[in-house]
Amino acid sequence: MRSRQRMFAAVMRLLLKCLRLGRRRRFRLLRQLEQLWHYGHLCLRSLLYNSFTNGDVVLDSLFEPVYWLVDHVTRWFGVVFVALVIGLTSSIVAIVYICLLPLILQTYTPAWICWHLAYGHWNLIMIVFHYYMAITTSPGHPPQAKNDLTGVSICRKCIAPKPARTHHCSICNRCVLKMDHHCPWLNNCVGHYNHRYFFSFCLFMTMGCIYCSISGWDMFRDAYAAIERMKLLEKERLQVAANQTYYQTPPPTFTFRQRAFHKSVVYLWVLCSSVALALGALTLWHAALITRGETSIERHINRKERQRLQKKGKVFRNPYSYGSWDNWKVFLGVDVPRHWLTRVLLPSPHLPHGTGLSWDLPPCVTEQRAPLLAI
């Protein structure tokens, strides 16, 4: 009897011991898994943690593939956009010379003929000159020799000193002096040395489109009515032809030349009106920026700086603004009154004020102001 009790007690002790060992092993396994989880979480945070991370940084990181795609598409399709501008402009000029100019010479008075010939050719020359200069002129880049270059900051892409008002273009993969934006229609950056050419092209192209739209309004109405009349007569002709034999089919009411003429006039007016609205809005936007003495990039920078200083009770002042009138004189390079004719109303390849590396006071500015560094 005692031997059975002893055996039973031994079995129970062995069973309890096995249970204790299993529980310890299970707790040890859970503890190890918890330690591995905390260690992996710590490693992940150590790789991704940044004290400057905020919602904007996360949003930029998420859109980085989109930016990469846009940059590469813009880089490779720039030539296509330039060819498109040249092709559309050439088509409008061809329609004016082939279709509209003979009609003007036959129906208009000598005074109006002289006006159209003088203004139309002057506007065309200004468009062609400024577009060619905007494409072929380099916007300006910081020099490769970095010894004598005074930089306000360091470019994170080029790892080089970056002068005031200079920004890195991800499409050109270079820093651009006084960068405004990368224009796909120019296949070039708009910067210090070609900013005036870009704005002048937008201005004169808008003026030319408005001129064509206003001058061709009556012709557009007549051409549109003629096209509608052609469609109606064509429908009636087909209905009559369905009930007659082939040799009894009446000839077309309008010739091919008449059809081409009317459709060309409608094409000219619609294209010029659309471009005038779109490009006119862009031109007004850049005119407002020039009036404030800032570029498209600097507008966003100055707005954030203005909000930051406003919270502190301070007033922001753009260090590159010399007043509305002087800003235009600096931008256009008008030093003396005759420059309004020779440098603004006539084609002029003159260089802008300064080198784009430093921003001293231009000679045409009346208000003396100490030069400041970029914000």
Side-chain angles (χ1 to χ4, degrees):
M1 189 70 182
R2 291 181 177 177
S3 61
R4 289 182 179 179
Q5 291 178 353
R6 290 173 182 171
M7 289 179 61
F8 181 75
V11 171
M12 293 299 295
R13 282 195 297 270
L14 181 61
L15 182 60
L16 290 174
K17 188 175 182 180
C18 291
L19 290 175
R20 291 194 190 100
L21 290 175
R23 187 178 300 173
R24 289 176 182 174
R25 289 179 181 175
R26 185 174 60 187
F27 287 157
R28 189 180 304 168
L29 180 62
L30 291 176
R31 191 179 301 111
Q32 289 177 353
L33 290 176
E34 186 178 1
Q35 290 177 354
L36 288 175
W37 166 259
H38 287 300
Y39 178 73
H41 185 66
L42 180 62
C43 290
L44 185 64
R45 292 201 62 182
S46 65
L47 292 174
L48 301 178
Y49 178 74
N50 189 343
S51 59
F52 296 100
T53 301
N54 52 25
D56 294 336
V57 175
V58 174
L59 191 63
D60 290 341
S61 301
L62 293 176
F63 276 90
E64 190 64 29
V66 179
Y67 298 151
W68 180 89
L69 181 62
V70 171
D71 291 345
H72 283 71
V73 168
T74 305
R75 183 182 306 170
W76 290 108
F77 276 83
V79 179
V80 178
F81 292 149
V82 171
L84 187 62
V85 172
I86 296 175
L88 293 177
T89 306
S90 301
S91 67
I92 296 299
V93 174
I95 291 173
V96 170
Y97 275 101
I98 296 174
C99 299
L100 302 187
L101 187 59
L103 188 62
I104 291 175
L105 295 176
Q106 293 174 4
T107 58
Y108 283 36
T109 61
W112 277 110
I113 292 176
C114 294
W115 155 252
H116 285 292
L117 290 177
Y119 179 81
H121 286 89
W122 169 78
N123 203 342
L124 179 61
I125 291 173
M126 298 297 285
I127 291 173
V128 173
F129 171 79
H130 287 102
Y131 188 66
Y132 174 78
M133 295 299 293
I135 293 175
T136 57
T137 303
S138 172
H141 307 283
Q144 298 295 328
K146 306 171 185 177
N147 298 329
D148 300 332
L149 182 61
T150 303
V152 176
S153 60
I154 300 296
C155 178
R156 295 179 295 177
K157 302 290 183 65
C158 300
I159 316 299
K162 188 167 63 173
R165 310 187 81 177
T166 300
H167 301 279
H168 187 89
C169 177
S170 58
I171 300 176
C172 299
N173 199 23
R174 295 187 66 180
C175 283
V176 178
L177 300 176
K178 193 194 169 187
M179 179 179 176
D180 188 90
H181 69 287
H182 185 94
C183 181
W185 301 102
L186 302 179
N187 194 27
N188 196 6
C189 268
V190 177
H192 178 62
Y193 288 102
N194 64 346
H195 194 182
R196 179 178 65 88
Y197 297 132
F198 164 76
F199 177 79
S200 298
F201 163 72
C202 293
L203 176 63
F204 289 113
M205 178 63 83
T206 303
M207 292 171 57
C209 290
I210 294 175
Y211 164 72
C212 291
S213 298
I214 296 176
S215 301
W217 169 245
D218 294 333
M219 297 181 186
F220 165 74
R221 293 175 57 186
D222 296 339
Y224 187 80
I227 291 176
E228 293 297 324
R229 191 163 57 253
M230 279 191 291
K231 293 179 181 179
L232 182 61
L233 292 177
E234 184 70 18
K235 186 182 297 184
E236 294 178 355
R237 187 183 68 84
L238 292 176
Q239 291 176 356
V240 172
N243 300 323
Q244 296 177 350
T245 59
Y246 177 76
Y247 63 87
Q248 292 176 328
T249 302
T253 308
F254 291 89
T255 63
F256 173 78
R257 185 173 182 178
Q258 291 174 331
R259 294 172 183 268
F261 174 83
H262 295 312
K263 292 180 179 180
S264 297
V265 172
V266 172
Y267 164 79
L268 178 143
W269 192 88
V270 171
L271 180 60
C272 289
S273 300
S274 303
V275 173
L277 290 175
L279 194 59
L282 180 65
T283 304
L284 290 176
W285 164 254
H286 280 278
L289 293 177
I290 295 169
T291 304
R292 294 196 294 262
E294 57 188 11
T295 62
S296 301
I297 298 177
E298 290 173 352
R299 177 187 177 275
H300 299 286
I301 298 175
N302 294 344
R303 184 181 60 180
K304 292 182 179 180
E305 188 67 15
R306 187 178 294 106
Q307 293 175 355
R308 185 183 69 84
L309 293 178
Q310 188 176 6
K311 294 179 181 178
K312 297 182 178 181
K314 299 180 180 180
V315 178
F316 171 79
R317 181 176 64 85
N318 183 9
Y320 305 110
S321 178
Y322 309 103
S324 301
W325 183 248
D326 286 337
N327 286 338
W328 278 101
K329 291 169 63 178
V330 171
F331 178 79
L332 298 174
V334 177
D335 297 329
V336 294
R338 62 182 174 85
H339 285 168
W340 289 104
L341 174 63
T342 59
R343 292 188 173 185
V344 178
L345 298 180
L346 294 177
S348 175
H350 66 277
L351 296 176
H353 289 292
T355 61
L357 302 176
S358 60
W359 298 95
D360 299 326
L361 193 70
C364 60
V365 176
T366 56
E367 179 184 356
Q368 298 295 322
R369 181 178 298 174
L372 300 176
L373 294 178
I375 293 179

